[in-house]
Amino acid sequence: ATPTFAHTPVEQDVTGTVRDAQGTPLPGVTVQVKGSNKGTQTDANGVFKITANPGDVLVFSSIGFVGTEVPVGNSTTVNITLQGNVKGLNELVVTALGVKKTPKSLTYSTQRIGSEELTTAKDPNLMNSLNGKVAGVNINRSSSGAGGSVKVVLRGNKSAQGSNQPLYVIDGIPMTNYTVQQPNSTWGGDGTISYAPGRDGGDGISNLNPDDIESISVLKGASASALYGSQAANGVILITTKKGKNGATKIDLSSGFQLDRVAIKPEFQNKYGQDPNAATQSWGPAINGAQDNVKDFYRTGYTWINSVGLSGGNEKMQTYFSYANTRANGVIPENDLSRHNITFRETGKFLDNKLTLDGSANVIIQKINNAPVTGLYFNPLTGLYLFPRGLNMQPYKDNYTKLDDVRQIYLQNWPFNEDVQQNPYWIVNRNGSVTERNRTLFSASAKYDFTDWLSLQARGNMDRTNDTYDASIYAGTNGVLSGPNGRYITSNLTTTQFYGDVILNLNRSFGDIKLNALLGSSITDTKTKGLRADSYNGSLYVANFFTLQNMTPGSQISTEPSRHQQLQAVFGNASISFKDLVFLDLTGRNDWSSNLSFTPNGSYFYPSAGLSFILHDMIPMPQAVTYAKLRGSYSVVGNSVPIYVTHPVNKLGVSGGTFDFNTIQPFTDLKPEKTKSLEVGTEWRFLKDALSFDFTYYKTNTTNQYFQIAVPPGTGYSFRYVNAGNVQNTGVEVLLGYNLVNSKFFKWNTTINYSKNKNTVKELAPSIDQFILTDPGSNAYTSLIKVGGSYGDIYGRVLQRDEQGRIMIGADGLPMVAADQKFIGNPNPKWQAGWNNSFNIKDFSVSFLVDGKFGGQVLSMTQAMLDQYGVSKASGDARDAGGVVINGVDADKKPVSTIDAKTWYTTVGGRAGVSEQYVYSATVVRLREASIGYSLPASMLKSSFVKNLKLSLIGRNLAYFHKKAPYDPEVTMSTGNGLSGVDVFSLPAVRSFGLNLNVTF
Amino acid sequence: CTKNFEDYNTDPTGLTEDQLKPDFNFIGGFYPQIQSSIYYNYNNTTWEYQLQQNLIADVYSGYMMSANPFRGNISNLTYSLVNDWNGFPFSLAYNRVMAPILEVKRRGAQSVAPDFWGVALILKVEAMHRVTDIYGPIPYSQYGQGGTTSAYDSQESIYKRFFLELDTAVTNLKAYIASKPGATPFAKFDMIYGGDYKQWIKFANSLRLRLALRIVKADPATAKAQAEKALADNGGLLETNNDNVMVSGFGIRHPLYTITNKDGWSDISMNASMESYLGGFHDPRIGKYFDPASDYPGQYKGIRLGGSITAKPGYSGFSTLAYKETKSIKDNSPLQLMTAAEVYFLRAEAALRSWANPGGTAQELYERGITTSLSQWGVADQASEYMNDAVSKPAAYVDPKNAANNAPSPSSITIKWDDGATFDTKLERIITQKWIAIFPEGQEAWSEFRRTGYPKLFPVVNNLSNGTISTTIQIRRINFPQAEYVANQAEVQKAIQLLGGPDNGGTRLWWDKL
C-alpha cells in the first residue's frame, strides 16, 4: 500500500477500463478531472490513464451514455460501467475482418441488429428474423419450410451469372454459404436433370443457432466490405457470436414453441364437377358443394427450439457453451426437421495479458425428412389442388397404393396419368427424401500485444460440411418421373474450407492526429468433393430397393462436383482522424484467385476511400442537435468468377462411356466483375439523442460482368463468354428512431427503416441485348435481364390486341395470343419500409413489427393452372356469370363483350397459357412479428437462484394488411438468380404463434 | 504463391490428353457421341429427341401423333410452329455431331487415320442432310470458323458437297481395306457395323442413292449421275437386313420407348394416316409397329394430326407404338437410320426412271423392298399374299371420340405392282410402300413425302399457321431457329435470300419443286 497523507495530496496515475452495460469496453470515452483542464480519452480497448489526486472526481462522458462521476479515492484503478441512455448509440461497431470501430469513424452505413431482435420471435433460419428490420436489405424465404435457405440481396441485384448474395462473416472469418441445390425451372429440376424434384438444399447461414449470436452487423455497401475484396461485392453480414464473460457464471435457458398454420390457400369453386370428357378437368356439370380436400391435407406444423447456454469466467479465462435443439414439423404431412447445435468457446489471456487466445468449436447436425419441393414435378400440391371438384380424395388418402396383381407390388392409386400431378399422399409417403447435414466449424485466434499500440493477430478456421440427399421414389410413380421399378437419387457432398489470416494492427496518436492501421494477408481454400447418382436414365434392377448397386447401366453416376478453389489476398487499411472531427479511411486489397488461372489477369487490386466529418463539433448547432455527422465513400470491388470457365474440358457423358465434346469457348481473357460504388450519408441525433436519423444515398455500377452467351452453333461453339455489361443500382436508405416516452414505468421506442432501390440494366454485351436467367422451356415464364429493363424482368405470353386495345378473338372463337413473350412485370420491390415498436410497461414488454414491400409484380402459375383445370373460384364465378367479361373484337371486327368461361380459361390459363393474365402486384404489407412478454420483477427474484425469468407470447406473419397476389410474394421458388417472382405450387406461407420462455440462472 | 492455381482450376473429371493417348481414344473416342446424336438420344435425355424429330418429322410424316394437348393444342401439331422447340434439330446437330467431327479433324484424322475420317464424313452427311431437309439453307462449308457469326450455304451447294464428301469417304475406306484387309481399328467405337469398313461403304453408296433421288426435281442431271454412280460402285449397297444401319451400344436407349410407353410419358401414338394405310392394306406389320388401342380392344386406332386433343386420358387409349404386345420398340432397341428395304425402293424408283444399273426391274425391286421389309419385321411368311393383294386400299378414318376428325380414304392406291399403271401411280406405289417400310424413321419419310407428295396423308385438322402453311399442300419446312435471329441476325437474313421465300413453314426447299 502507498502511504498517504491527508494534507499532502499526491498525484498518481489512475488507470481503468470503461465498459458498457454488456461488459464491452468503450473506446473514445472522454475522461476529465472535474474542475480542471486535465482530460483524456479511452483507447480502443476502453482503457484510460490519467493523473489525479485522491479525492478528485473523474467525469466520464460519451455520446449515447449517461454522464457519470466517480471519486478517485485511494485506488489507482477505476473500472466503471456506463449506462446507455439510447439503445445502440455508442456501441462499438464491428467492421470488416472483425475490427471494432467507433461509429464516429465510419465512412459508410452499417446497421446492427442485437441478439434480442433475433431471438424474440425465432425462425429456424435466423436470417428470416432480419426481415423488415434492416434498410436496403431484401429478404426472400424459400418455399421449402424449416431448413430452407434464404435469398438476401443488399442494395439490389448486380450480377447476371455470379452470386448476388452477401458474404457471411462469423467473428471476422468468412463463412461458406453455398447452397447445395436450387430448383432451376418451373418444372422443378435440379440443375442437371430436368425431371428431378425441385429442391432447396439449404444454405450455410440457416444452420446457426440464433441464441449463440451476440449481434449482426449489416455492411450494405461495397465500401464497408472492401477489405474482403472479391468475395464481398454484394455486401457483408457480420455475425458476432457470444463468448464467456468475466464474472459470475450464468446459465440461460430458452424454450420456444410455435404453431405454424398455412396462411394462404387457393380459392376453389364448389359448383361444377368433373368433366366427363376430360377426367382431370372440372369443367363438368353442376354439383352440390364440394369436399375441402385441401384443408384435410395440411396439418398444423410446429417449431420447437430449446436451448441452453452457459457462460462464465474470470479476468483470464472465459468459457461459453451452448446446446440448442430444434424440432419442426412442417404443415405438409411427413415433413419434419431436427437439428442439434453444439458450441464451445474458450477465451483466455496469457503472458501478462499480452497474448489473447480464442478458440471455438461448433457442431451442427441436421436432418430433414421430405423437404417440400417446388415446381410441377414431385409436388403434392399439384394433385391436391387440381383434383376434380366434387370428388372426395379420402379414398386416395386411405389407400394411396393399390396392388398390381401381375407384378404383386403395390403401385400408386390415382385415377389420372399426367406428369404434372400425382396422388399427394403417394408423394409424401412414396416419393420421400432425407436430407442430412453434418457440419463442424473450428476457429482459433491468437493476438499478441507488443505494445499498447502494436499488435499481431493470427486466425485460422476450418468449416467442413457434409451434405447427403437420398430420394426414394417408389415403383408406381408417374412414368415421366420414374422408371417402372422406381428411381433412386443420391448425392453426397463434402465441402471443406480452410481460412487463415495474419494481421498487424497499429494504433498511434501524433498530436491531434490518430492513426489506426492494419496490414494483413489471408488465404481461403475451398474444396468440394461429391458423388451423385440418379437411376433416371437407367433403371433399378429390383423394384423399390434404393442402393447404388441396384442401379442399371445407363444410370447417371458421377464424382461431381469436384472443385478446389483458392483465394489469396494482401490487404491494408488506414484510418486517420484529426481531433476526432475528421476521419479518413483508406483500404486496399489485392486478390489472387485460382479461378482466374489460364488468363493473364490473375491478380486484382481493389481500393476504397471514405471520409467522415463530425459536424456538431465543428459547426455551432442548436441545442437540440446532439450529434451530426456527414460521410462519404467510394470503392471498387470485384465479384469472383466461377471455377473452370477459363479452361473447359472434354468429359465423359453421364451414361454409357461416350466422350462429351466440349463446345464452350474457353474464356482466356476473363476478368473478375467490378462493382464501383459511391455512397454518401449523414447521421443526426436530436433531443438528447432521443431522436435519431440516418440517411444514405448510394450508386453502384457493376461492370465486367461475365456472360455465357449463345453463339451460332455454326461457329463450332455453343457458348462463349464475354466480360461486359453495366448494371446500375441507385437508392436511398433512411433510418429513423425515436424514444417517444422514456419514463420509469413506461417506455416507448419506435424505429422506421425505409429503402428504395432502382435497378437499371444500362448495357449488356455488344450485340446482346438480353440475358436469360430462367429459360421458359415449354412454359410461359421467362426471367431475364434486358437492356433498358431491370434485373429479373418477367416475360410471358400476352393476348393480341387491336389498335384500340381490344382483345382479338380468332375465327375459331379463341382469344389470339402473341407469338413472342413480352415484358409483363418485375418482381423486385420499388421500395420497402419497416416500422418497429417496443413498449415497456413496468414488467411487461410489447413489441410489433409492421413491414411492407411496395411495387413490383409477381406471376402465379398456380392460379393459371387452377383456372385452366376449372377448379378455381374465378372459373366457377365466370360460369355462374355466363362467361368472362372482356373488351374484345372478333374476326369480323364485331365487338365481343363476353366469352365462354371454359374457352377463355383453357386458353389463357395453364402453365403455357397467357401468363400476362396472371401477373399480380407484389405489394404486401404485413404484421411480421408481435410479442408480449412478462418478466418477473427483479424484486421477486432477489433471493432466488433464478436471476431472470421472461415469458412471452409471440407471433410471426400474423396478418396481411395489404396483399393482391394469390400467394405470399415474399416466398421465392429459388434463392438463386432465376425463378424470381413466380409461384409454381410453392408451399404456402405460414402464420405462426407460440410461447417463449427465457430463464437465466 | 499461386503455382498450383492452374491445377486447381482444371476440372479433375475432365479428360486430359494423357488419358486420351492410349487405345486411339484421342480420335476414336469422339465417335460414340456423334453416332448417338444423329437420331438423337445421347445421354438418353429423350426429350431432346422429342423436340429434334418426334414433334416435327415423326408427326408430319403421318407416322405418329400425340395424345397430349401440348400447349393447349397450339403447337407444331396444329402448324403453329413453336420457336422454343424448333431450334433443337439445328443446335443438336452442330453441337453434338459437327463439333466432335471438327475436333477429330483438328486432331489430324485426315492424315493420321484417313479411314476414321472416311467414317466421320459418312456420319456427317447422314446427320446434316436431315438438318438441311428440315430448314433448307444451313451453315455447312464454313462451319467451325469460330467468331460470332456463321454463314449459311444454299441447299444446292450443300448437296453438291455431300456427294464430294461421300467420294472422299469411299475412297479412303477402300484404300484402307486394300492396304490392311480385314483390319477393324474402328471396331471399338463403332455403334453400327462393328468396325467393318465394307459395310460402311455400302452405307455410303446407299446414302448417295437416297440423296440423288432427293434432288431429282431440282437437278435431274446430278441426280441421275450420282444415282448411277452409287448403283455402279463395286462396294455395293445395303442388300440384306444385316446391312441395315442400326445404332446401338454405349448405353443408348430407344427414345420412342420412353415417349410412347403408357408407364412412361404416353406422349406419342399412332397417326390416323398409318391406321388408314396399314389397316386398309391388312398389313401384317401393323402389330409390329403399334399396340392395339386399349380403349377399343382388338382395334388399331390412330389420331388425326392437328385434331382437338382433350386433356389426358382423352386420346391416350388409342394405339401407341408397339412396346407392349410384340415389343418391337423396346428400351434397348437399336436406332434405325437406314434399311436395305429402303434401298430396294430407291432402286425401284431408279429403274422407273430408267437409270443405269438398278439391278432389276422396277417391279422386282419394289417386291424385294416389300419382302425385305416384311422379313425385317418377322412377317416374311405373309409376303406373297400381301404383295399380290390388288384390292385392299387405304381406309377411311373414323374418330370414335370426335366426328369432326373423320375423313374419307386418302388414296385409292393398292399394293400389287401394275406394270401398266402410269408413272405417277407407280411412283405412288413405290413411295407408299417405302413409307410403310422405313417406319419409324419419320425424318426420311417426311422428306420423301415432300419430294413426291406420297403417300397421300390426311391433312392437318386445325391449321393455326395464320395462313403461312397450306392445309392441302401441307408443311414444307421448319423456320430457322429463334436463337439464330438473336445471335446471327445478318447471316439469317442472307439465308432467307438463299431460301428464296419467307422464313415460315410454307416455303418449299430447293429440292422440293412442284
Side-chain angles (χ1 to χ4, degrees):
Chain A
T2 315
T4 57
F5 303 92
H7 57 281
T8 52
V10 178
E11 278 207 341
Q12 59 189 13
D13 283 345
V14 178
T15 61
T17 306
V18 184
R19 291 191 159 87
D20 66 9
Q22 280 78 41
T24 314
L26 292 175
V29 176
T30 307
V31 187
Q32 277 184 303
V33 178
K34 197 173 181 179
S36 81
N37 57 3
K38 276 194 286 187
T40 185
Q41 280 196 335
T42 55
D43 67 9
N45 300 315
V47 176
F48 70 92
K49 188 174 174 186
I50 195 166
T51 50
N53 296 314
D56 281 351
V57 173
L58 297 184
V59 181
F60 296 86
S61 62
S62 183
I63 291 159
F65 290 89
V66 180
T68 307
E69 299 186 359
V70 179
V72 175
N74 289 331
S75 171
T76 55
T77 310
V78 175
N79 291 322
I80 73 148
T81 298
L82 290 187
Q83 296 300 324
N85 58 1
V86 176
K87 208 168 107 186
L89 268 191
N90 212 27
E91 283 159 356
L92 277 183
V93 180
V94 180
T95 65
L97 297 167
V99 177
K100 290 180 181 171
K101 292 188 173 175
T102 60
K104 269 186 187 178
S105 67
L106 296 186
T107 61
Y108 42 78
S109 145
T110 69
Q111 196 176 338
R112 180 185 179 278
I113 298 293
S115 126
E116 200 173 315
E117 287 172 272
L118 295 170
T119 53
T120 302
K122 261 183 257 180
D123 187 287
N125 187 338
L126 75 100
M127 286 310 290
N128 284 321
S129 306
L130 244 58
N131 215 336
K133 294 172 186 164
V134 186
V137 180
N138 190 11
I139 297 175
N140 287 284
R141 60 162 66 224
S142 91
S143 63
S144 61
S149 52
V150 63
K151 179 175 181 173
V152 177
V153 176
L154 308 184
R155 293 184 176 170
N157 289 290
K158 299 172 187 78
S159 178
Q161 285 195 295
S163 165
N164 281 296
Q165 299 233 37
L167 174 71
Y168 291 89
V169 173
I170 303 180
D171 296 325
I173 296 176
M175 182 191 86
T176 52
N177 189 48
Y178 66 95
T179 164
V180 178
Q181 195 68 73
Q182 287 295 319
N184 70 342
S185 81
T186 42
W187 297 100
D190 77 346
T192 51
I193 298 171
S194 310
Y195 304 99
R199 73 182 182 99
D200 169 11
D203 54 12
I205 189 66
S206 62
N207 306 144
L208 302 187
N209 171 14
D211 286 304
D212 279 350
I213 289 163
E214 179 82 43
S215 70
I216 292 183
S217 291
V218 184
L219 309 184
K220 287 169 262 188
S223 312
S225 54
L227 268 180
Y228 285 111
S230 56
Q231 305 164 79
N234 302 313
V236 175
I237 297 201
L238 291 173
I239 295 164
T240 306
T241 63
K242 288 181 183 163
K243 55 182 174 184
K245 282 178 185 148
N246 178 10
T249 310
K250 197 173 89 163
I251 300 174
D252 288 297
L253 279 183
S254 154
S255 178
F257 186 83
Q258 278 179 38
L259 293 172
D260 305 317
R261 308 206 60 172
V262 167
I264 305 158
K265 275 183 278 198
E267 292 186 304
F268 295 95
Q269 57 88 4
N270 296 314
K271 290 186 177 168
Y272 303 91
Q274 190 177 26
D275 190 333
N277 296 318
T280 53
Q281 315 273 307
S282 297
W283 292 102
I287 51 168
N288 275 325
Q291 173 86 8
D292 192 348
N293 296 312
V294 175
K295 182 171 155 249
D296 298 341
F297 180 77
Y298 289 119
R299 62 181 186 183
T300 301
Y302 70 81
T303 309
W304 194 12
I305 307 177
N306 288 297
S307 71
V308 56
L310 290 83
S311 84
N314 53 32
E315 280 273 341
K316 300 275 183 200
M317 302 290 282
Q318 299 92 32
T319 304
Y320 176 80
F321 171 83
S322 80
Y323 168 75
N325 179 302
T326 306
R327 294 200 60 86
N329 258 21
V331 293
I332 288 185
E334 310 298 327
N335 163 229
D336 59 66
L337 166 140
S338 73
R339 183 165 72 211
H340 306 272
N341 292 71
I342 301 159
T343 302
F344 180 73
R345 185 169 181 180
E346 187 71 32
T347 41
K349 286 187 191 295
F350 302 86
L351 306 177
D352 211 10
N353 290 344
K354 282 187 184 305
L355 178 67
T356 310
L357 293 180
D358 184 348
S360 72
N362 279 267
V363 177
I364 297 152
I365 299 162
Q366 177 176 289
K367 181 178 181 187
I368 305 172
N369 289 310
N370 302 319
V373 303
T374 187
L376 297 169
Y377 286 154
F378 294 103
N379 189 338
L381 304 187
T382 55
L384 179 70
Y385 291 173
L386 299 175
F387 193 66
R389 302 303 295 162
L391 298 189
N392 189 348
M393 201 181 273
Q394 195 65 34
Y396 300 104
K397 179 182 182 180
D398 298 339
N399 297 301
Y400 53 81
T401 64
K402 68 175 176 206
L403 184 68
D404 180 297
D405 279 341
V406 181
R407 293 186 64 189
Q408 284 299 305
I409 186 172
Y410 282 92
L411 303 177
Q412 180 174 194
N413 180 25
W414 192 238
F416 314 117
N417 177 11
E418 255 195 327
D419 59 346
V420 297
Q421 63 163 312
Q422 300 191 73
N423 183 333
Y425 298 94
W426 169 268
I427 292 180
V428 298
N429 288 290
R430 290 289 180 268
N431 286 177
S433 68
V434 179
T435 313
E436 288 186 274
R437 166 167 285 191
N438 286 298
R439 183 173 182 188
T440 45
L441 274 135
F442 295 101
S443 303
S445 87
K447 190 177 171 204
Y448 187 80
D449 295 315
F450 294 103
T451 67
D452 58 356
W453 56 269
L454 188 68
S455 66
L456 184 70
Q457 182 183 31
R459 293 187 291 205
N461 143 299
M462 185 192 91
D463 181 351
R464 185 173 186 277
T465 307
N466 175 246
D467 285 290
T468 64
Y469 170 76
D470 286 271
S472 304
I473 294 156
Y474 279 67
T477 297
N478 184 280
V480 174
L481 309 178
S482 160
N485 283 348
R487 174 179 180 183
Y488 178 47
I489 310 172
T490 181
S491 93
N492 190 329
L493 203 77
T494 303
T495 296
T496 311
Q497 177 187 285
F498 290 98
Y499 172 89
D501 67 18
V502 182
I503 300 170
L504 188 69
N505 271 296
L506 181 145
N507 284 301
R508 287 224 75 167
S509 296
F510 307 92
D512 288 334
I513 294 171
K514 272 192 237 165
L515 173 69
N516 189 332
L518 65 83
L519 197 64
S521 174
S522 73
I523 181 166
T524 312
D525 185 275
T526 316
K527 252 188 199 161
T528 303
K529 280 293 278 178
L531 171 76
R532 274 188 197 155
D534 186 339
S535 68
Y536 184 66
N537 288 357
S539 183
L540 297 178
Y541 290 110
V542 176
N544 300 342
F545 182 54
F546 306 105
T547 61
L548 272 185
Q549 49 275 43
N550 195 27
M551 287 190 181
T552 67
S555 300
Q556 305 189 6
I557 300 175
S558 74
T559 51
E560 286 180 334
S562 183
R563 292 192 283 254
H564 190 174
Q565 293 163 272
Q566 200 172 82
L567 186 71
Q568 299 176 9
V570 175
F571 46 82
N573 169 233
S575 295
I576 302 155
S577 67
F578 176 72
K579 284 188 169 175
D580 269 4
L581 295 176
V582 182
F583 295 83
L584 173 69
D585 200 27
L586 298 170
T587 70
R589 172 165 166 139
N590 205 79
D591 275 3
W592 292 263
S593 163
S594 65
N595 292 0
L596 285 165
S597 56
F598 299 104
T599 72
N601 316 313
S603 142
Y604 276 86
F605 181 71
Y606 309 111
S608 87
L611 259 178
S612 74
F613 302 91
I614 307 303
L615 295 178
H616 68 271
D617 285 339
M618 300 168 76
I619 308 163
M621 296 266 174
Q623 188 120 53
V625 178
T626 45
Y627 184 83
K629 173 179 154 186
L630 193 64
R631 53 181 153 77
S633 62
Y634 179 80
S635 72
V636 180
V637 297
N639 197 353
S640 67
V641 296
I643 194 164
Y644 302 148
V645 298
T646 61
H647 186 53
V649 292
N650 300 322
K651 304 173 81 159
L652 282 169
V654 290
S655 62
T658 51
F659 288 14
D660 195 346
F661 179 66
N662 164 61
T663 57
I664 299 174
Q665 221 168 358
F667 197 6
T668 50
D669 55 354
L670 173 70
K671 297 179 205 114
E673 267 178 37
K674 201 185 246 188
T675 296
K676 291 177 208 154
S677 144
L678 172 75
E679 172 180 330
V680 291
T682 182
E683 288 159 52
W684 294 76
R685 304 196 211 287
F686 307 91
L687 309 173
K688 295 184 178 164
D689 298 345
L691 178 65
S692 64
F693 170 77
D694 189 323
F695 173 89
T696 308
Y697 166 84
Y698 61 86
K699 176 168 176 273
T700 65
N701 287 80
T702 304
T703 56
N704 274 354
Q705 301 227 15
Y706 93 98
F707 292 98
Q708 188 187 44
I709 53 177
V711 286
T715 58
Y717 293 102
S718 54
F719 292 101
R720 69 189 169 102
Y721 293 102
V722 290
N723 271 131
N726 181 359
V727 175
Q728 179 176 297
N729 283 284
T730 53
V732 295
E733 290 156 4
V734 179
L735 282 173
L736 205 57
Y738 193 21
N739 279 6
L740 283 161
V741 184
N742 193 12
S743 72
K744 197 172 177 190
F745 297 103
F746 181 59
K747 292 189 175 75
W748 179 9
N749 178 261
T750 186
T751 59
I752 291 172
N753 69 74
Y754 164 91
S755 60
K756 180 178 186 309
N757 184 66
K758 187 173 187 319
N759 177 291
T760 320
V761 180
K762 302 198 76 104
E763 61 183 72
L764 294 177
S767 79
I768 300 295
D769 73 337
Q770 68 176 47
F771 177 79
I772 292 182
L773 296 170
T774 305
D775 191 85
S778 53
N779 296 338
Y781 164 87
T782 311
S783 171
L784 49 74
I785 307 174
K786 196 177 171 87
V787 174
S790 84
Y791 196 100
D793 278 345
I794 301 174
Y795 277 62
R797 299 177 78 206
V798 302
L799 291 167
Q800 279 194 38
R801 292 170 192 270
D802 68 1
E803 58 287 347
Q804 296 172 44
R806 293 180 299 182
I807 295 163
M808 292 163 72
I809 308 294
D812 51 4
L814 301 175
M816 290 165 68
V817 183
D820 300 328
Q821 299 209 351
K822 297 253 162 41
F823 172 79
I824 55 175
N826 183 288
N828 298 308
K830 285 198 166 59
W831 57 278
Q832 45 188 336
W835 182 36
N836 212 345
N837 279 282
S838 62
F839 306 88
N840 287 291
I841 309 147
K842 285 196 70 178
D843 303 315
F844 286 92
S845 57
V846 176
S847 73
F848 67 89
L849 167 64
V850 175
D851 82 303
K853 297 185 180 182
F854 300 86
Q857 293 86 30
V858 291
L859 173 63
S860 175
M861 203 174 274
T862 311
Q863 187 64 36
M865 287 187 67
L866 301 189
D867 281 357
Q868 182 196 32
Y869 278 68
V871 296
S872 66
K873 181 165 183 293
S875 74
D877 291 350
R879 274 173 278 185
D880 289 347
V884 179
V885 177
I886 59 165
N887 177 21
V889 59
D890 69 11
D892 304 326
K893 304 269 174 224
K894 284 200 214 97
V896 179
S897 59
T898 46
I899 185 165
D900 173 61
K902 184 179 176 185
T903 306
W904 176 258
Y905 284 119
T906 53
T907 306
V908 306
R911 58 182 171 83
V914 182
S915 40
E916 163 203 48
Q917 297 288 316
Y918 294 97
V919 169
Y920 304 88
S921 159
T923 298
V924 56
V925 182
R926 77 183 81 215
L927 178 56
R928 187 177 294 278
E929 286 179 11
S931 73
I932 303 171
Y934 175 72
S935 301
L936 278 187
S939 55
M940 282 175 67
L941 295 169
K942 230 166 206 164
S943 54
S944 159
F945 66 97
V946 175
K947 295 197 189 89
N948 192 353
L949 190 149
K950 186 176 177 188
L951 188 69
S952 359
L953 204 60
I954 57 116
R956 292 183 59 80
N957 206 31
L958 288 174
Y960 294 98
F961 299 118
H962 177 97
K963 179 181 75 66
K964 286 277 188 281
Y967 76 105
D968 187 338
E970 191 173 280
V971 174
T972 186
M973 211 179 141
S974 158
T975 59
N977 291 343
L979 288 173
S980 194
V982 64
D983 169 46
V984 189
F985 293 90
S986 294
L987 176 70
V990 295
R991 181 172 292 139
S992 316
F993 34 91
L995 217 53
N996 262 3
L997 175 68
N998 293 294
V999 190
T1000 307
F1001 300 99
Chain B
C1 172
T2 61
K3 71 175 191 302
N4 292 325
F5 274 16
E6 294 201 350
D7 194 26
Y8 297 159
N9 203 29
T10 300
D11 189 341
T13 67
L15 295 157
T16 64
E17 285 309 308
D18 283 347
Q19 286 151 356
L20 290 178
K21 268 233 167 77
D23 301 329
F24 212 69
N25 273 326
F26 73 101
I27 286 181
F30 297 97
Y31 282 72
Q33 184 187 29
I34 299 167
Q35 294 165 87
S36 314
S37 300
I38 298 171
Y39 186 97
Y40 193 89
N41 211 17
Y42 179 61
N43 280 342
N44 297 326
T45 46
T46 303
W47 65 269
E48 289 176 297
Y49 168 82
Q50 198 176 17
L51 298 181
Q52 180 207 33
Q53 174 156 336
N54 197 239
L55 295 174
I56 301 177
D58 288 349
V59 295
Y60 296 149
S61 62
Y63 281 164
M64 306 174 210
M65 172 61 192
S66 178
N68 190 338
F70 284 112
R71 299 175 74 99
N73 292 318
I74 305 170
S75 75
N76 281 9
L77 309 182
T78 46
Y79 284 178
S80 173
L81 301 185
V82 181
N83 282 331
D84 295 336
W85 294 358
N86 292 336
F88 280 85
F90 193 89
S91 58
L92 293 176
Y94 288 103
N95 294 333
R96 308 287 196 208
V97 178
M98 291 292 272
I101 288 175
L102 180 67
E103 179 66 6
V104 163
K105 188 179 173 184
R106 279 194 207 113
R107 288 163 177 270
Q110 280 166 295
S111 52
V112 179
D115 49 330
F116 276 62
W117 182 241
V119 172
L121 287 173
I122 297 168
L123 291 169
K124 184 176 163 191
V125 173
E126 165 61 21
M128 298 314 289
H129 87 276
R130 307 160 74 88
V131 182
T132 178
D133 289 354
I134 291 172
Y135 300 103
I138 55 169
Y140 199 67
S141 65
Q142 298 185 58
Y143 170 78
Q145 301 192 342
T148 56
T149 62
S150 100
Y152 285 62
D153 295 330
S154 72
Q155 190 172 52
E156 181 177 9
S157 69
I158 293 167
Y159 263 76
K160 293 237 162 87
R161 209 177 167 87
F162 285 159
F163 294 126
L164 294 173
E165 287 173 339
L166 290 176
D167 289 346
T168 309
V170 171
T171 308
N172 287 8
L173 291 177
K174 282 182 176 170
Y176 187 88
I177 295 168
S179 69
K180 290 180 187 163
T184 57
F186 186 60
K188 181 171 177 293
F189 311 108
D190 195 340
M191 295 174 71
I192 300 172
Y193 288 131
D196 186 347
Y197 287 152
K198 287 185 182 155
Q199 293 293 85
W200 281 95
I201 294 172
K202 288 184 193 171
F203 179 20
N205 288 334
S206 304
L207 193 53
R208 184 191 301 277
L209 183 59
R210 178 196 273 183
L211 300 182
L213 278 160
R214 183 89 87 246
I215 63 169
V216 69
K217 286 181 177 170
D219 185 352
T222 306
K224 181 167 187 284
Q226 288 296 334
E228 290 180 343
K229 185 173 186 178
L231 292 165
D233 192 88
N234 60 7
L237 297 157
L238 307 180
E239 287 192 349
T240 72
N241 284 317
N242 288 334
D243 297 338
N244 291 351
V245 186
M246 310 293 279
V247 181
S248 66
F250 286 90
I252 199 163
R253 300 167 67 188
H254 204 299
L256 286 175
Y257 172 77
T258 307
I259 299 176
T260 199
N261 192 336
K262 268 224 187 94
D263 300 325
W265 299 3
S266 63
D267 266 355
I268 204 73
S269 304
M270 181 191 210
N271 189 296
S273 292
M274 267 272 144
E275 181 198 327
S276 166
Y277 280 85
L278 294 180
F281 285 163
H282 307 290
D283 196 302
R285 286 166 291 192
I286 194 165
K288 298 292 179 178
Y289 291 1
F290 300 103
D291 280 331
S294 54
D295 282 0
Y296 310 100
Q299 292 183 50
Y300 291 92
K301 209 80 223 81
I303 311 173
R304 277 290 296 278
L305 177 68
S308 302
I309 303 299
T310 46
K312 286 178 185 176
Y315 281 88
S316 33
F318 282 35
S319 288
T320 55
L321 273 62
Y323 74 92
K324 217 163 33 186
E325 306 263 317
T326 54
K327 297 190 166 58
S328 3
I329 302 276
K330 286 196 294 280
D331 202 13
N332 56 359
S333 296
L335 313 180
Q336 174 185 313
L337 292 178
M338 194 172 195
T339 62
E342 179 192 341
V343 177
Y344 284 113
F345 290 113
L346 290 168
R347 288 164 68 178
E349 188 180 342
L352 182 67
R353 294 181 187 280
S354 310
W355 292 347
N357 297 318
T361 64
Q363 176 172 1
E364 284 165 6
L365 293 163
Y366 170 77
E367 291 176 347
R368 283 192 73 178
I370 294 175
T371 49
T372 305
S373 172
L374 293 183
S375 81
Q376 181 189 345
W377 294 96
V379 285
D381 52 331
Q382 297 178 54
S384 72
E385 189 193 337
Y386 181 75
M387 277 188 314
N388 290 311
D389 182 346
V391 183
S392 297
K393 289 177 180 159
Y397 175 74
V398 176
D399 182 344
K401 280 198 189 293
N402 183 355
N405 293 329
N406 293 353
S409 165
S411 171
S412 56
I413 196 73
T414 52
I415 305 164
K416 188 176 162 59
W417 185 260
D418 173 8
D419 232 10
T422 63
F423 178 90
D424 279 346
T425 306
K426 286 176 181 165
L427 184 64
E428 179 177 4
R429 194 158 272 139
I430 292 170
I431 302 296
T432 301
Q433 281 302 325
K434 181 165 83 171
W435 175 75
I436 296 173
I438 66 176
F439 182 87
E441 224 299 63
Q443 183 55 49
E444 183 59 18
W446 180 41
S447 294
E448 288 293 87
F449 165 75
R450 284 177 287 163
R451 172 176 72 92
T452 63
Y454 302 125
K456 292 173 182 166
L457 301 174
F458 291 125
V460 70
V461 180
N462 295 311
N463 182 338
L464 305 183
S465 69
N466 285 330
T468 58
I469 304 170
S470 158
T471 303
T472 48
I473 297 170
Q474 305 201 14
I475 185 165
R476 311 314 290 184
R477 66 184 282 276
I478 294 294
N479 54 314
F480 292 124
Q482 210 54 29
E484 288 286 293
Y485 278 91
V486 174
N488 202 22
Q489 172 71 252
E491 296 299 333
V492 177
Q493 294 306 334
K494 287 186 217 162
I496 294 170
Q497 298 300 312
L498 295 172
L499 177 66
D503 181 22
N504 61 38
T507 301
R508 288 173 182 270
L509 304 182
W510 165 72
W511 50 249
D512 179 10
K513 296 276 189 291
L514 270 172

